[in-house]
Amino acid sequence: VQLQASGGGLVQAGGSLRLSCAASGRTFSGQVMGWFRQVPGKERGIVAAQRWGGGSTYYTDSVRGRFTISRDNAKKTVYLQMNSLNPDDTAVYYCAATSNAPIFSEWTRSQAYNHWGQGTQVTVSS
């Protein structure tokens, strides 16, 4: 699977952005698509995750209620709608895909994901 992320940019606090991640190659219902983010000097951390087949959705606590992960299976594209952005959301955002169908408790681990897109910078000014 190859992943192409887009949609980052500069936005003022309180604003919104939508990230997109287009997948090419084999996808399947149990495959998990995740959004991660990383700031310099810190580990890459999970933001949100969802399976192509739907069902459970994961959000890290700091974005729950502000960010929404969604997918368009026909387009093989996963989205991350980010609302009420604040400067703490500034990071490089990465989309990722698993090669298998991990259980929900594994979704937060970057090691569970085998395929990564290039990062897209999100900068939120105060």
Side-chain angles (χ1 to χ4, degrees):
V1 175
Q2 291 184 323
L3 305 174
Q4 180 72 37
S6 61
L10 174 64
V11 64
Q12 288 188 332
S16 299
L17 281 174
R18 188 177 80 157
L19 306 183
S20 299
C21 177
S24 60
R26 176 178 175 262
T27 61
F28 54 98
S29 61
Q31 183 178 46
V32 178
M33 299 296 295
W35 285 100
F36 287 76
R37 64 187 180 185
Q38 187 172 26
V39 298
K42 291 190 176 181
E43 290 188 359
R44 195 172 296 185
I46 185 76
V47 176
Q50 188 177 61
R51 278 189 294 243
W52 285 114
S56 299
T57 300
Y58 174 85
Y59 295 100
T60 195
D61 287 346
S62 62
V63 309
R64 190 174 293 113
R66 300 188 297 122
F67 290 12
T68 303
I69 187 172
S70 62
R71 71 203 186 279
D72 184 328
N73 291 50
K75 294 182 179 179
K76 290 187 177 181
T77 301
V78 176
Y79 304 97
L80 185 67
Q81 177 66 44
M82 305 185 294
N83 299 328
S84 302
L85 285 160
N86 62 63
D88 289 339
D89 296 314
T90 295
V92 177
Y93 284 70
Y94 298 89
C95 63
T98 63
S99 292
N100 56 8
I103 58 175
F104 184 75
S105 61
E106 291 291 307
W107 292 15
T108 60
R109 299 175 62 246
S110 61
Q111 296 90 336
Y113 298 80
N114 304 94
H115 309 282
W116 292 85
Q118 88 290 3
T120 184
Q121 177 71 46
V122 172
T123 303
V124 184
S125 63
S126 57

